[in-house]
Amino acid sequence: MRYVITLDSGTTNTRMILLNEDDEPVHSAKVPVGVRDTAIDGNLGKLVSGVRECLDKILRQKQIDYSDIKCVIASGMITSELGLADIPHIPAPAGIEELAGHMQKRCFPEICPLPIYFIPGIKNCLSEVGQENFTDMDMMRGEETESAALIRRFYDGRRMLLILPGSHTKFVEADNRGRITGCATSMAGELLAVLTKKTILAKAVEYKFVNEQDYDRDMVLLGYKTAEKIGVSAACFQGRVLKTYVYEDYKKIANYILGAVLQNDIMLMERGRIASSVWDRDIIVSGKNPFRRALFDIIMSEGRYDQVTEYIPKAGEIPLSAEGALMAARIRGII
């Protein structure tokens, strides 16, 4: 049996999936290395060693070597100017065929003996960007493979809006041909991390994020509604008031802060560049919990949208990023 390795490297982490010939994930590996290290150090040293370490780890887990690997497919920020290969974004609209057609093969003998195939990101299509229209420009690296997989799973001939929360929340538009037509981005996850770890609120939430088991829908919606009334900054400070006078449980405050921060995401969805088309699209909310569940609950609480689906992956299911990478590789004829 020969395997495929998909590599998804972002700002802070690099993740790999080893897949068998039936596209089943066999093993995975992760190292806390990403393009942020390149930005800080000014060189690729940590990224190169981190990718090599992750590849070696995944081979050791299965007790195989590179002769058992068909190919390595990479996506994410590793394709940026801070990554291993600076692959230009392709302009929207673009579907899986365009992604496959613009894949590039590069060799890094200091990492592995096999070539690595890089999938490009996608950018909004603007002929020029200036002060008058810069908020219409956006781009993605990594989310395009997740989006391609979601589109294949849920496409029914209607236009779609894919919501992919994480360190950054991506709102990805797809047309009635299943092509990505643009995106918009917030920094909700990074903002939440700063509030949780580096501000006066940190003690109120005991420096901890909400985990899936402690998710509290009512507190999330309270945070969201409060931010709607008085703004995100003021609403977040009120989390300290809640902790001092109302709730002793830090988990409730953490849920409240999560909801307050996500109010900005809903505002972007309804008032940003994608707002004019959001009302007649099928909305798919994906990503990890508790972000996914919180955004889904907030959207449903508004009662303004008819077609909203929460994508909940099944145990052992192939990750979306790996699924999209395999789709592109097959079209390109790599596997």
Side-chain angles (χ1 to χ4, degrees):
M1 178 177 290
R2 299 191 70 199
Y3 302 87
V4 172
I5 294 176
T6 61
L7 186 168
D8 180 6
S9 188
T11 303
T12 56
N13 293 292
T14 295
R15 304 171 183 84
M16 294 187 190
I17 308 292
L18 181 70
L19 300 124
N20 64 21
E21 293 174 343
D22 295 320
D23 294 350
E24 297 169 336
V26 178
H27 284 291
S28 63
K30 175 181 174 181
V31 291
V33 175
V35 299
R36 183 180 64 177
D37 297 289
T38 304
I40 293 172
D41 297 342
N43 63 72
L44 292 171
K46 286 185 180 178
L47 185 60
V48 167
S49 62
V51 172
R52 183 174 61 239
E53 175 191 342
C54 206
L55 283 167
D56 291 344
K57 183 185 297 186
I58 210 166
L59 294 177
R60 286 196 307 271
Q61 287 176 330
K62 188 61 179 174
Q63 296 183 328
I64 57 177
D65 58 34
Y66 282 107
S67 65
D68 299 301
I69 305 301
K70 292 180 182 178
C71 63
V72 180
I73 312 166
S75 62
M77 289 299 292
I78 202 168
T79 70
S80 73
E81 72 279 4
L82 295 173
L84 293 181
D86 188 4
I87 311 298
H89 289 93
I90 59 175
I96 190 65
E97 290 80 9
E98 287 78 13
L99 289 173
H102 287 82
M103 291 175 71
Q104 295 191 23
K105 179 175 73 172
R106 302 288 176 86
C107 295
F108 298 90
E110 70 274 29
I111 295 178
C112 73
L114 299 177
I116 299 176
Y117 293 87
F118 293 86
I119 299 174
I122 296 176
K123 65 179 180 179
N124 293 356
C125 186
L126 293 178
S127 57
E128 294 183 4
V129 181
Q131 184 173 320
E132 71 286 349
N133 70 343
F134 74 97
T135 58
D136 291 334
M137 174 50 78
D138 209 295
M139 67 287 290
M140 67 180 84
R141 289 192 187 272
E143 292 88 0
E144 70 287 329
T145 54
E146 295 179 58
S147 298
L150 281 172
I151 290 168
R152 182 169 76 168
R153 287 169 179 255
F154 290 98
Y155 176 70
D156 64 357
R158 285 169 48 88
R159 300 195 303 166
M160 304 169 70
L161 177 67
L162 313 176
I163 304 178
L164 309 172
S167 295
H168 300 156
T169 301
K170 288 286 183 186
F171 294 88
V172 181
E173 298 173 296
D175 63 16
N176 55 11
R177 294 172 56 186
R179 302 175 304 170
I180 294 170
T181 55
C183 63
T185 307
S186 86
M187 296 177 66
E190 287 198 273
L191 176 59
L192 183 66
V194 171
L195 290 170
T196 301
K197 303 289 187 179
K198 301 289 187 180
T199 71
I200 197 171
L201 295 171
K203 186 172 177 58
V205 298
E206 295 191 6
Y207 301 87
K208 296 177 182 178
F209 301 107
V210 179
N211 60 43
E212 192 166 8
Q213 292 71 33
D214 297 327
Y215 178 73
D216 186 329
R217 177 181 180 275
D218 291 340
M219 292 304 298
V220 166
L221 293 181
L222 177 62
Y224 169 71
K225 292 296 184 182
T226 305
E228 266 194 323
K229 293 177 182 177
I230 63 176
V232 172
S233 177
C236 286
F237 181 80
Q238 292 301 311
R240 180 170 163 79
V241 174
L242 281 173
K243 183 66 167 66
T244 303
Y245 295 103
V246 184
Y247 297 115
E248 293 185 3
D249 187 356
Y250 76 90
K251 298 172 186 176
K252 287 187 174 293
I253 310 305
N255 276 276
Y256 169 87
I257 298 298
L258 172 61
V261 168
L262 291 181
Q263 192 275 332
N264 261 356
D265 281 3
I266 302 303
M267 184 172 70
L268 173 62
M269 184 177 80
E270 296 186 344
R271 302 184 198 174
R273 64 164 297 279
I274 63 174
S276 61
S277 61
V278 71
W279 306 104
D280 62 346
R281 293 177 185 261
D282 291 341
I283 298 175
I284 312 296
V285 186
S286 183
K288 293 182 179 179
N289 270 335
F291 273 101
R292 182 190 73 228
R293 169 54 62 170
L295 276 168
F296 178 78
D297 284 342
I298 289 170
I299 292 170
M300 293 301 292
S301 74
E302 294 292 351
R304 294 196 288 263
Y305 305 96
D306 295 328
Q307 300 291 330
V308 186
T309 301
E310 180 186 12
Y311 168 67
I312 304 174
K314 298 176 183 177
E317 192 171 65
I318 181 173
L320 292 173
S321 59
E323 181 179 342
L326 290 179
M327 289 165 59
R330 284 206 169 87
I331 292 173
R332 184 64 179 265
I334 298 168
I335 56 175

